[in-house]
Amino acid sequence: MMRAKSYIVAETTTRAMAQRAVREARDKWEMKSWFRVLAPKTFGFAEIGTIPANDAKNLVGRTVEISFYDITKDISQLPTKLKFQIVKVDDDTAYTQLKQVELTRDYIRSLVRRGTSRIDTIVDVETADGVRLRVMCMAITQSRIKTSQKKAIRRIVLDFITEKASSMTFNEFIQEVVLGKVASEVENLVKRIYPPRKVEVRKVKVLTSPFEIQQ
């Protein structure tokens, strides 16, 4: 009987502790304020979500990752991932700046086939308004090509992206990247050397601190 009574007491105590923990967690959650998060000017200050926080200061520096589809509702933009960093909070609104654009691994994997060549070009550039970027471009040819052709493609891609970025502002360049215009122009250049199966800007990493980029 004593063992049974002790078991009941212990079980009751455990249940009470669990219920108290649930109440405390719920109370902490209810005490949080909700802030709407906006994409930067490049993306028209589109609302990209809401986020809870006890203090607005705790939001600054946090990152938010979405698909470009979440902004455009264009299903063809699903493979494009956008990473933003919160740089400022005003009342109940958190403002962000772009940190990275990247295509999903599954999408990239789907493009590469046997009997083709993949040529990657990585180049650090600076836009007309002084924002430093690392741009990674990928060209996939319709069949295997020679090493000399790969080198020629890398050179023409590197020169084009460097010149393109330096002639445009950060916002302008990023817009053309996510809308596929830069990839399209690169594809036309690659055709001069060998017919490409697909050309994509697979990743753009913002090297300049998001806090230093003007909205």
Side-chain angles (χ1 to χ4, degrees), residues 57-76:
K57 295 178 181 178
N58 296 335
L59 290 177
V60 177
R62 289 176 64 174
T63 57
V64 179
E65 189 171 309
I66 65 167
S67 165
F68 191 29
Y69 166 82
D70 296 324
I71 294 176
T72 65
K73 303 307 177 187
D74 180 349
I75 198 167
S76 69

Side-chain angles (χ1 to χ4, degrees), residues 118-121 145-159 193:
R118 171 175 166 174
I119 304 96
D120 284 290
T121 305
I145 61 175
K146 300 175 182 178
T147 300
S148 59
Q149 292 172 311
K150 290 181 180 180
K151 287 182 178 179
I153 288 173
R154 286 195 185 95
R155 172 49 57 188
I156 200 170
V157 172
L158 188 149
D159 290 345
I193 301 168

Side-chain angles (χ1 to χ4, degrees), residues 118-166:
R118 171 175 166 174
I119 304 96
D120 284 290
T121 305
I122 301 174
V123 54
D124 288 356
V125 299
E126 185 170 319
T127 61
D129 50 350
V131 179
R132 292 177 295 107
L133 308 170
R134 179 163 296 149
V135 183
M136 304 177 195
C137 188
M138 174 183 70
I140 300 170
T141 56
Q142 293 182 6
S143 58
R144 293 191 185 280
I145 61 175
K146 300 175 182 178
T147 300
S148 59
Q149 292 172 311
K150 290 181 180 180
K151 287 182 178 179
I153 288 173
R154 286 195 185 95
R155 172 49 57 188
I156 200 170
V157 172
L158 188 149
D159 290 345
F160 171 77
I161 290 179
T162 301
E163 184 178 347
K164 180 82 171 176
S166 65

Side-chain angles (χ1 to χ4, degrees), residues 17-31:
M17 290 174 65
Q19 290 174 343
R20 183 161 58 251
V22 170
R23 284 197 302 272
E24 288 176 356
R26 186 173 62 243
D27 291 343
K28 287 181 180 179
W29 185 260
E30 290 175 349
M31 287 173 63

Side-chain angles (χ1 to χ4, degrees), residues 1-214:
M1 287 292 291
M2 286 296 293
R3 286 183 180 179
K5 187 173 182 180
S6 297
Y7 175 77
I8 293 171
V9 171
E11 186 178 23
T12 302
T13 302
T14 301
R15 188 183 301 114
M17 290 174 65
Q19 290 174 343
R20 183 161 58 251
V22 170
R23 284 197 302 272
E24 288 176 356
R26 186 173 62 243
D27 291 343
K28 287 181 180 179
W29 185 260
E30 290 175 349
M31 287 173 63
K32 292 179 182 288
S33 298
W34 285 85
F35 298 82
R36 66 186 188 125
V37 183
L38 301 186
K41 182 180 179 180
T42 313
F43 300 92
F45 295 110
E47 185 169 334
I48 57 176
T50 55
I51 192 168
N54 289 323
D55 191 330
K57 295 178 181 178
N58 296 335
L59 290 177
V60 177
R62 289 176 64 174
T63 57
V64 179
E65 189 171 309
I66 65 167
S67 165
F68 191 29
Y69 166 82
D70 296 324
I71 294 176
T72 65
K73 303 307 177 187
D74 180 349
I75 198 167
S76 69
Q77 304 293 355
L78 271 173
T80 303
K81 297 188 298 180
L82 304 173
K83 183 182 286 187
F84 301 104
Q85 186 168 30
I86 296 175
V87 294
K88 183 179 72 172
V89 179
D90 189 5
D91 292 331
D92 64 346
T93 303
Y95 296 90
T96 64
Q97 189 50 268
L98 182 70
K99 194 173 179 67
Q100 185 170 281
V101 179
E102 185 176 17
L103 296 178
T104 63
R105 291 181 181 178
D106 287 345
Y107 175 70
I108 292 174
R109 199 178 297 120
S110 72
L111 298 177
V112 182
R113 305 284 177 84
R114 285 185 179 181
T116 64
S117 290
R118 171 175 166 174
I119 304 96
D120 284 290
T121 305
I122 301 174
V123 54
D124 288 356
V125 299
E126 185 170 319
T127 61
D129 50 350
V131 179
R132 292 177 295 107
L133 308 170
R134 179 163 296 149
V135 183
M136 304 177 195
C137 188
M138 174 183 70
I140 300 170
T141 56
Q142 293 182 6
S143 58
R144 293 191 185 280
I145 61 175
K146 300 175 182 178
T147 300
S148 59
Q149 292 172 311
K150 290 181 180 180
K151 287 182 178 179
I153 288 173
R154 286 195 185 95
R155 172 49 57 188
I156 200 170
V157 172
L158 188 149
D159 290 345
F160 171 77
I161 290 179
T162 301
E163 184 178 347
K164 180 82 171 176
S166 65
S167 67
M168 307 180 80
T169 65
F170 170 64
N171 288 340
E172 291 169 344
F173 183 72
I174 292 298
Q175 284 176 357
E176 294 214 352
V177 166
V178 297
L179 293 175
K181 293 182 179 180
V182 172
S184 180
E185 290 182 72
V186 171
E187 184 172 347
N188 288 331
L189 293 173
V190 173
K191 284 178 182 177
R192 299 177 185 176
I193 301 168
Y194 198 89
R197 181 172 179 272
K198 190 69 174 177
V199 173
E200 292 282 9
V201 176
R202 64 179 179 87
K203 187 174 184 179
V204 177
K205 185 175 183 180
V206 181
L207 301 179
T208 298
S209 169
F211 294 92
E212 296 176 14
I213 303 172
Q214 291 186 349

